[in-house]
Structure formats: C-alpha cells, structure tokens
C-alpha cells in the first residue's frame, strides 16, 4: 500500500508543473482573437449604352490621409476624431482596394482598348488620378452610414494636362448595427460611385480627344 501511495505522489509531482503552466497562461491572459477580414466587393450597375473608347486608361492608386488609409475600418467620432472598429479589418488598404475596384469596373464595361494600373507600364492615353476624401462610418440617427468621397482628375498623357475633374460622394445607411451590414453599406456606396465614375471618364475622355 505504501508503494501505491508513493506512485500516486510521484504521478502528482510530475503533473504539477503542467497544471501550473496552464494557470500561468490564464493569469497572463490569452491574445485577443484575430479580426474578421472583409473584402471590398462593390456591385456596379453600368448602363448598356456607354461611349466606346479606342484608347488606353491608366489608373493610379488614390491618395488619402493616413487615418483613413489603413486596413482597419474607420469610424468618425465626435465629428472630428477617427476611431477604428476593433474586431474587423479590410483585406487591404482602402486606396488599394479602390484602385482594384476601379480597374475591374472599367474592364467589366468592355468599352476601353485596355485598362490597368500605373504599375503596368501601359502606353496610356489618359491617367486617372484621385484623392479619397472619405472612407468611413459616420453616425446617422440611431445607427451608422458608410460615407465614401472621391475627387477624380483625368489627365492627358504624356503631358499630364488636366482634361476634366469631378467630385463623387455617396452615403449609404447600414441596415443594422452588425459588421456585415456596415461592410454592405461600404460596398453599396462604392458601387454607386463607380457606376457614375465609369461613364464620366469614358465621356470626358472621348470629348477631350475631339
């Protein structure tokens, strides 16, 4: 019997460090869970009758202030201060996502000879530059709305003479207080913006060539 008690004591002594190690982890605290990552996936509704262009469009990544151009979803607080949602994130910076969304929208239109980014070394006729003035959630009544604003400049190449400029702004109220609803509001706002941007570029580019 004494041998049995001794075996139990040895077994407990071997297990004690593992149990203490587990308690130490609980005392230190586990790291916060990784944020849920969302992609920007705007739905662009383009008119069937758009001007057809025989030129190449180059699209630069929009510029923006650092507080907006992060992978965290920005929330405007107190009318001035920018906070970020703690448990969600974008798959990339908003300016990079907007550049990709613009390229895809023009590709989907099928009206250009070619379209790409300023990293693609395309022999472009026009360069589309823009400034992202807003890309955040803002208070709207009892909830929030996605506010997206872009100031676009269409430049002739290679002179970079300004052919046309225009501001685009869309605000979409989130259907609920959930993260999914907030992202859906961003997708809708960007989709509406691109629905206006594509025909504007095609029209102004064709007009400037006359």
């Amino acid at each position: 019997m004494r041998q049995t008690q001794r075996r139990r004591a040895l077994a407990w002594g071997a297990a004690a460090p593992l149990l203490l190690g587990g308690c130490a982890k609980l005392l230190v605290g586990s790291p916060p869970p990784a944020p849920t990552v969302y992609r920007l996936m705007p739905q662009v509704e383009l008119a069937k009758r758009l001007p057809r262009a025989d030129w190449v469009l180059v699209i630069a990544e929009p510029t923006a202030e650092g507080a907006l151009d992060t992978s965290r979803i920005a929330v405007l607080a107190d009318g001035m201060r920018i906070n970020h949602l703690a448990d969600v994130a974008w798959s990339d910076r908003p300016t990079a996502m907007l550049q990709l969304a613009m390229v895809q929208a023009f590709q989907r239109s099928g009206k250009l000879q070619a379209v790409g980014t300023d990293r693609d070394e395309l022999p472009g006729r026009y360069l589309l530059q823009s400034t992202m003035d807003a890309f955040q959630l803002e208070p709207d009544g009892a909830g929030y709305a996605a506010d997206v604003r872009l100031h676009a400049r269409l430049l002739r190449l290679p002179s970079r003479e300004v052919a046309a400029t225009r501001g685009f702004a869309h605000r979409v109220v989130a259907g609920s207080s959930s993260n999914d609803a907030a992202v859906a509001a961003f997708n809708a706002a960007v989709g509406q913006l691109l629905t206006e941007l594509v025909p504007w570029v095609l029209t102004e580019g064709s007009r400037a060539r006359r």
Side-chain angles (χ1 to χ4, degrees):
M1 184 170 180
R2 288 180 179 177
Q3 289 182 349
T4 303
Q5 290 174 342
R6 188 169 180 271
R7 290 195 193 100
R8 288 176 180 173
L10 289 173
W12 169 252
L18 298 177
L19 293 173
L20 289 174
C23 290
K25 289 183 180 179
L26 290 175
L27 290 174
V28 171
S30 58
T36 303
V37 177
Y38 288 91
R39 291 175 55 201
L40 185 68
M41 302 177 67
Q43 298 296 319
V44 184
E45 301 292 337
L46 296 175
K48 293 183 178 180
R49 295 184 179 181
L50 291 174
R52 182 170 293 278
D54 60 351
W55 36 268
V56 175
L57 177 65
V58 176
I59 301 176
E61 182 175 322
T63 59
E65 63 174 296
L68 292 177
D69 198 24
T70 73
S71 61
R72 307 313 293 259
I73 296 181
V75 182
L76 190 66
D78 304 325
M80 296 177 62
R81 181 166 48 88
I82 295 291
N83 292 331
H84 297 93
L85 293 183
D87 55 348
V88 293
W90 292 117
S91 60
D92 205 339
R93 293 175 295 105
T95 54
M97 293 191 298
L98 274 176
Q99 183 187 33
L100 177 60
M102 285 190 275
V103 170
Q104 291 175 335
F106 280 102
Q107 288 175 337
R108 198 175 299 120
S109 75
K111 300 300 182 180
L112 286 166
Q113 184 178 342
V115 58
T117 73
D118 50 356
R119 300 182 299 274
D120 296 329
E121 298 183 357
L122 288 172
R125 172 78 65 173
Y126 291 101
L127 171 65
L128 179 61
Q129 290 184 338
S130 57
T131 302
M132 190 183 74
D133 296 318
F135 196 89
Q136 71 252 350
L137 291 173
E138 295 185 355
D140 189 284
Y144 282 89
D147 185 26
V148 179
R149 281 175 271 146
L150 195 75
H151 183 77
R153 300 172 296 278
L154 189 63
L155 310 181
R156 295 185 181 90
L157 293 176
S159 67
R160 291 185 177 250
E161 176 187 358
V162 177
T165 64
R166 180 179 163 182
F168 298 86
H170 284 279
R171 183 183 180 91
V172 176
V173 177
S176 70
S177 59
S178 69
N179 294 332
D180 287 349
V183 172
F186 275 107
N187 283 329
V190 174
Q192 293 172 16
L193 187 151
L194 295 177
T195 298
E196 293 182 357
L197 177 70
V198 171
W200 174 77
V201 169
L202 293 174
T203 300
E204 293 299 330
S206 301
R207 182 180 301 161
R209 290 202 63 192
R210 294 173 187 170

